[in-house]
Amino acid sequence: MTDSATDEAEYRVVAEGVEKAFGDEKVLKGVSFKVVRGTATAIIGPSGSGKTTLLRTLNALDRADAGVIRVDDVELDFTKPISKPEIRKFQSRSGFVFQGHNLFPHKTVLQNVTEGPVVVQKRPKDEVVAEAVELLDQVGLAEKQDQYPYQLSGGQQQRVGIARALALKPKLVLFDEPTSALDPELVGEVLSVIKDLAVEGWTLVIVTHEIQFARQVSSQVLFTDQGIILEQGTPEQVIGDPKEERTRQFLDRILNPL
């Protein structure tokens, strides 16, 4: 658990008692955790344990059924009616990097990155374009700005997805298994960009199966299983010396597959 002595103002994310069901299946069962500003939190666990649903509740892509979530200065109490403007304000605090890129196929790389700030945030186009070019340079794709997604590798498309999320100037960046759809040789280039963001002090929450990456980049690791956070702490605690037998079993299967 994040240090309880940390002042509330230092938390970028506070989630308390978050619940979510799809039909009769309860996917999240009263999940609570906090994320300190400027740190990376990794969410690990078996498939079907609620990792992606938990991440999506932090952007209200999946609206929780119960609980309270605060991201930066916007808090939603999901036990009460919530208006569309409240949801939009909540969503504006975070950027989401999807597993499958989700780029606009008919728009260039630069247009993909500038779309949100110009259309949604109504910011001046000249300013947004200048910032987008800098972001593409940051993720190693400055020379690709006039190309279309189909002309890029999967790793390059994912890096465009990261630049697109950063272009919104979010307080929080959410990554949903950002390397799971990539060929193995392309994984490193995406993880390298995310590591750089962590070093720069962005607040990140990353759902990942890359355990060694989680160990290197995160300040906090959450291990989820069957809709609850079974174990949480530093990478050294959760990955290096897990207390729960279920955590040990999972890590052993991932780290020692043969």
Side-chain angles (χ1 to χ4, degrees), residues 45 209-212 248-257:
H209 285 298
E210 303 284 345
I211 301 301
Q212 296 299 355
R248 289 195 290 271
Q249 290 173 352
F250 170 79
L251 291 170
D252 187 55
R253 281 206 303 273
I254 296 289
L255 299 175
N256 304 294

Side-chain angles (χ1 to χ4, degrees), residues 106-158:
H106 59 290
K107 294 183 181 293
T108 66
V109 165
L110 186 62
Q111 289 169 336
N112 265 279
V113 176
T114 59
E115 177 86 0
V118 171
V119 176
V120 179
Q121 296 180 333
K122 312 296 185 187
R123 290 170 53 206
K125 187 172 182 179
D126 290 350
E127 173 188 303
V128 170
V129 168
E131 290 175 0
V133 170
E134 287 186 16
L135 285 170
L136 288 170
D137 185 52
Q138 183 178 343
V139 300
L141 293 173
E143 77 287 356
K144 303 289 187 182
Q145 67 181 52
D146 296 322
Q147 294 192 2
Y148 290 86
Y150 75 89
Q151 297 175 294
L152 306 178
S153 70
Q156 290 170 335
Q157 289 184 46
Q158 193 61 293

Side-chain angles (χ1 to χ4, degrees), residues 52-225:
T52 290
T53 299
L54 176 55
L55 192 77
R56 289 171 66 89
T57 64
L58 300 182
N59 187 254
L61 288 168
D62 287 338
R63 197 180 296 198
D65 299 324
V68 176
I69 302 176
R70 176 170 64 79
V71 175
D72 198 44
D73 59 342
V74 184
E75 182 174 285
L76 295 182
D77 183 342
F78 291 95
T79 63
K80 301 175 181 177
I82 300 171
S83 69
K84 286 184 179 179
E86 287 177 300
I87 289 288
R88 283 195 293 269
K89 186 177 180 182
F90 181 77
Q91 291 178 326
S92 73
R93 295 304 187 266
S94 58
F96 205 101
V97 179
F98 296 89
Q99 192 175 126
H101 322 313
N102 282 20
L103 300 179
F104 296 112
H106 59 290
K107 294 183 181 293
T108 66
V109 165
L110 186 62
Q111 289 169 336
N112 265 279
V113 176
T114 59
E115 177 86 0
V118 171
V119 176
V120 179
Q121 296 180 333
K122 312 296 185 187
R123 290 170 53 206
K125 187 172 182 179
D126 290 350
E127 173 188 303
V128 170
V129 168
E131 290 175 0
V133 170
E134 287 186 16
L135 285 170
L136 288 170
D137 185 52
Q138 183 178 343
V139 300
L141 293 173
E143 77 287 356
K144 303 289 187 182
Q145 67 181 52
D146 296 322
Q147 294 192 2
Y148 290 86
Y150 75 89
Q151 297 175 294
L152 306 178
S153 70
Q156 290 170 335
Q157 289 184 46
Q158 193 61 293
R159 283 186 279 154
V160 174
I162 294 171
R164 180 180 60 181
L166 298 181
L168 296 168
K169 297 187 175 181
K171 302 296 185 180
L172 170 69
V173 189
L174 307 169
F175 294 86
D176 183 17
E177 299 192 23
T179 61
S180 65
L182 301 180
D183 292 334
E185 71 263 26
L186 301 177
V187 167
E189 66 188 59
V190 174
L191 296 184
S192 177
V193 170
I194 300 172
K195 283 182 186 178
D196 289 344
L197 297 180
V199 170
E200 289 168 16
W202 289 82
T203 306
L204 314 176
V205 178
I206 310 157
V207 170
T208 183
H209 285 298
E210 303 284 345
I211 301 301
Q212 296 299 355
F213 166 72
R215 190 170 196 162
Q216 293 167 11
V217 79
S218 61
S219 302
Q220 174 178 230
V221 177
L222 312 179
F223 174 73
T224 63
D225 188 45

